[in-house]
Amino acid sequence: MFRPKIPTMPTPTRFTAPPAVVVEPIAIEQHPLASAPAPVPAPSRPTVQLTPGAVLALVGGGTVVVLVVGTVLVSMLLAVAVTAASVAVCALVIRSLASTQNRR
């Protein structure tokens, strides 16, 4: 039941060779070179220009993100702490009830 089942390979009936690749020569014609066209200058990459308003918006957005993430993390930590405290109180109550029943 717990042994792995190993698939059995059927015995090959004959050896098959891969198909032969046929390479045909291609004639290359060389044309006389005409005057080379003038090199086209590469288009300049657009630069990002930040205005003072855009910088303030970025700083404000970053601050909001940090505050929201911090609030979420602190609330999760608080939820864990409240849960741990309630479990500890429940454990003490159950221990107290169990010990009073053993004394009677």
Side-chain angles (χ1 to χ4, degrees):
M1 178 176 161
F2 294 108
R3 289 187 170 192
K5 295 185 178 183
I6 301 171
T8 57
M9 295 285 294
T11 56
T13 55
R14 61 186 172 114
F15 177 74
T16 58
V21 178
V22 178
V23 178
E24 296 181 7
I26 299 174
I28 299 175
E29 296 181 16
Q30 293 185 352
H31 298 287
L33 293 176
S35 61
V40 178
S44 62
R45 294 176 58 184
T47 57
V48 177
Q49 295 179 351
L50 294 177
T51 61
V55 171
L56 285 176
L58 285 175
V59 169
T63 303
V64 168
V65 168
V66 167
L67 289 177
V68 168
V69 170
T71 303
V72 168
L73 291 177
V74 168
S75 64
M76 289 172 65
L77 179 64
L78 183 62
V80 169
V82 167
T83 304
S86 64
V87 168
V89 169
C90 289
L92 287 176
V93 169
I94 291 173
R95 182 178 174 190
S96 172
L97 289 174
S99 67
T100 56
Q101 286 181 354
N102 288 339
R103 290 182 187 169
R104 291 183 184 182

